[in-house]
Amino acid sequence: MRVYVPLTLPALAEAHRTGELGSGPFVAYAVTPALREWYLSEDIEELEYAALGRAALASLRLLAADPDAVRRRVVVAVDVPDRAASVDPDRGLEPAALGQVTVTVSVPLAKAASVHVDAEDAEGDVAAAARALPAADGGDDDARFVVDGADDHELLWYATQEIPNLVGQG
């Protein structure tokens, strides 16, 4: 199963240093039955893009909690055994939990398929979105518009060999 792990650049640097993406259990995003139902598509590429988007939103939440992190969303795509990722049956249809899975095994960073990161020119919009998240979660439509503005920036695709350059160690 392909899962999308939300991170920040400091967390990616830590994963690069330790060689481990996560030791389990940790939250990731994937094509789940609820995501399929919500997205109304059978095209696996579209569904995986939707799961990537859910992980990008989770990365934004991590940025909101870490004011010192560079304001760029980070998502790592990795394949894990199907049995290693599970959906919480009590939360599967909650809008906030769409596509969310819990990965229960250790995942070496070397197993990652790709890394997706905002370009530098997205930092202003991502910073504004991170600041607006609490108000957006509270139902403020203007704040929701600001949060959605981060989605105007496509995450760039990087090969795993480029991680040292992404985290400033290359």
Side-chain angles (χ1 to χ4, degrees), residues 106-129:
S106 291
V107 179
L109 184 59
K111 295 283 188 182
S114 59
V115 180
H116 306 265
V117 181
D118 278 310
E120 285 182 38
D121 68 355
E123 288 182 21
D125 288 339
V126 170

Side-chain angles (χ1 to χ4, degrees), residues 15-166:
H16 177 65
R17 187 185 70 71
T18 64
E20 190 169 76
L21 186 57
S23 59
F26 61 90
V27 171
Y29 292 81
V31 177
T32 63
L35 185 75
R36 283 180 189 274
E37 185 177 321
W38 170 73
Y39 198 74
L40 298 174
S41 175
E42 290 302 317
D43 184 324
I44 191 64
E45 288 182 13
E46 286 182 20
L47 291 165
E48 287 182 349
Y49 185 77
L52 174 68
R54 301 297 295 169
L57 177 59
S59 176
L60 184 65
R61 291 188 180 288
L62 294 173
L63 289 172
D66 183 358
D68 296 329
V70 175
R71 303 334 246 174
R72 293 167 73 184
R73 299 167 297 167
V74 177
V75 176
V76 177
V78 63
D79 294 321
V80 299
D82 287 346
R83 68 187 180 288
S86 61
V87 176
D88 182 344
D90 295 330
R91 294 196 66 215
L93 294 175
E94 286 180 28
L98 283 172
Q100 191 176 83
V101 296
T102 300
V103 177
T104 58
V105 298
S106 291
V107 179
L109 184 59
K111 295 283 188 182
S114 59
V115 180
H116 306 265
V117 181
D118 278 310
E120 285 182 38
D121 68 355
E123 288 182 21
D125 288 339
V126 170
R131 286 190 304 272
L133 263 175
D137 289 344
D140 183 317
D141 288 336
D142 291 334
R144 183 79 244 158
F145 181 77
V146 172
V147 170
D148 289 345
D151 287 337
D152 291 342
H153 299 276
E154 292 286 329
L155 296 178
L156 302 177
W157 181 95
Y158 293 92
T160 57
Q161 299 88 329
E162 297 177 273
I163 291 173
N165 292 330
L166 289 170

